[in-house]
Every structure is written in structure tokens, then in C-alpha cells.
Amino acid sequence: GDSVTQMEGPVTLSEEAFLTINCTYTATGYPSLFWYVQYPGEGLQLLLKATKADDKGSNKGFEATYRKETTSFHLEKGSVQVSDSAVYFCALSSGYSSASKIIFGSGTRLSIRP
Amino acid sequence: DSGVTQTPKHLITATGQRVTLRCSPRSGDLSVYWYQQSLDQGLQFLIQYYNGEERAKGNILERFSAQQFPDLHSELNLSSLELGDSALYFCASSPIVSPYNEQFFGPGTRLTVL
């Protein structure tokens, strides 16, 4: 079945460092791909999305490119801030019509040191 | 604020008991999704309703059930509770059934079973 694999955390970086969180997926068909972020004590928020191959999703300085050839959707940010500390979830949505659900990766906890 | 509300925020109960979690979707959204987030299982999709009808089922136990009412709010009923049911339960909503739309998450209900 469909699945998402993302790098294990926790990831600890210093402020202004470059961030990469790896994500690969397995899916039949052509899934949509997402990154969600969960700040402490809150629900999940959509960070960015891409719906077809070579699409680049971007938001708040974060970017991810839908790579069909490598089945990947890695999250990157050029200069992280303390406020980026959160848990990041890679996810895919596939199927259509009545069978709609999102499959999440296990999450990567990111901590940014001042 | 995603516009999705969930009550209660916290719930503490004993094994064997039954609880009801409530979710109100964003205004205009017809689809409601329920997820369970636990430390060992990660974020698991439970069930989806669209305009009052069940549309997709995930890893939902037989002890759990859900429904969506005519005003589109949804309730998740958990019965014969076990210690392992302790988790965060999230509700999400999206405007239509298509999986290519993002889901908007509520703040969650933290259930503790003692």
C-alpha cells in the first residue's frame, strides 16, 4: 500500500543553518504531496503542497520539489529560525472520488538553537 | 486558527468507559476526517465523512464509531476504553471529497485513559 518515509529525528540545528528533511514515498498512481507542521500544543498546519511531478511548493521560506523519478519530496530552508522549532510531517494523498485520505510519515522533530 | 473547532480540549477517564469527542468543521466544508496521534503509532487516519455519509475508513477499531450530523458537525465515540487509547485525536475538514485539497486541522482533544 501507499506509504511515506521521512528521516528520523530529532534534528537540532543552530539559527541560520540550512535545513533538509528527507521524505520519500511509495504510491500507485499520482499522489499529491504535502508538508504539514505541528507547533507545540497545536494541531497540524499545512506548510506547502505539490500536486504533480516537478511542482515546487513553497511557504515561509520552506521549499519542496515533487520528484517523481526519485519518489521524493524533501523539505528545505536556507536559514532556519528559532520559531521554526516544531514537528514536520511529510504526507501524501492518493485515490480519488470517495476514497480520500492522507497518509502521514512518522514526523521529524526540529529544534533550533539560538 | 484553522476554523476547525474540537471539544473538549482535554479528557481524562477510566478504562472501560465511553467518551464522545466533538468536531465542528470550517464553515462550508463538507468533509470531516478523524485522526489518532499516539507516541508509538504516529498519526493514523481513522475515518472520513462527507456530507453525512461515511466515505473512507482507516485503522479504526470496532470499539470506535463516528457520525456526521445534518449541521455537518461530527462526533467520534470511543467505547470500552483501554489504556492504549490514550492519544491526541484530531479532526480535520476540507471543502470537497477530492484528495487534492488540503485538510485543515483542529487543535485536537487529548484523551487520557487511567
Side-chain angles (χ1 to χ4, degrees):
Chain A
D2 296 351
S3 65
V4 175
T5 302
Q6 61 182 105
M7 67 188 285
E8 300 223 357
V11 174
T12 303
L13 297 173
S14 297
E15 204 165 21
E16 299 183 4
F18 184 85
L19 168 72
T20 300
I21 301 178
N22 290 336
C23 170
T24 57
Y25 67 90
T26 302
T28 53
Y30 303 95
S32 289
L33 302 175
F34 308 90
W35 277 99
Y36 280 83
V37 58
Q38 186 177 27
Y39 297 103
E42 297 184 14
L44 278 72
Q45 300 174 27
L46 178 68
L47 182 60
L48 53 85
K49 69 178 180 181
T51 56
K52 60 183 187 296
D54 299 326
D55 266 3
K56 177 185 280 190
S58 61
N59 186 24
K60 298 181 181 180
F62 291 90
E63 292 183 340
T65 301
Y66 190 145
R67 300 287 188 201
K68 193 169 187 302
E69 64 276 11
T70 54
T71 61
S72 64
F73 193 55
H74 304 322
L75 182 68
E76 296 182 336
K77 186 174 185 182
S79 177
V80 293
Q81 306 300 313
V82 172
S83 57
D84 294 327
S85 298
V87 181
Y88 292 81
F89 292 90
C90 185
L92 70 81
S93 178
S94 63
Y96 200 9
S97 186
S98 62
S100 170
K101 61 181 180 182
I102 290 184
I103 297 170
F104 288 89
S106 56
T108 301
R109 184 174 299 276
L110 174 66
S111 295
I112 307 300
R113 292 189 300 253
Chain B
D1 185 352
S2 67
V4 178
T5 60
Q6 291 187 246
T7 56
K9 194 170 175 62
H10 300 279
L11 199 48
I12 301 174
T13 188
T15 55
Q17 295 298 304
R18 173 189 169 94
V19 297
T20 297
L21 313 183
R22 183 188 169 102
C23 167
S24 292
R26 294 186 324 153
S27 177
D29 285 0
L30 300 180
S31 260
V32 169
Y33 307 78
W34 285 98
Y35 293 86
Q36 179 193 59
Q37 186 179 35
S38 59
L39 283 175
D40 56 346
Q41 296 282 331
L43 197 62
Q44 300 280 324
F45 167 72
L46 296 178
I47 198 164
Q48 179 213 350
Y49 279 82
Y50 175 75
N51 204 21
E53 294 185 5
E54 183 185 307
R55 281 302 179 98
K57 225 169 186 177
N59 302 319
I60 188 166
L61 300 173
E62 285 191 13
R63 300 183 286 109
F64 296 0
S65 64
Q67 53 185 325
Q68 186 179 26
F69 295 86
D71 67 352
L72 300 177
H73 92 270
S74 178
E75 293 181 355
L76 179 67
N77 300 296
L78 314 177
S79 61
S80 303
L81 285 168
E82 302 175 359
L83 295 177
D85 297 328
S86 296
L88 263 171
Y89 290 85
F90 287 107
C91 166
S93 74
S94 67
I96 60 176
V97 175
S98 166
Y100 300 101
N101 286 322
E102 63 265 36
Q103 296 178 14
F104 297 87
F105 281 76
T109 294
R110 182 173 293 280
L111 174 66
T112 302
V113 182
L114 301 175

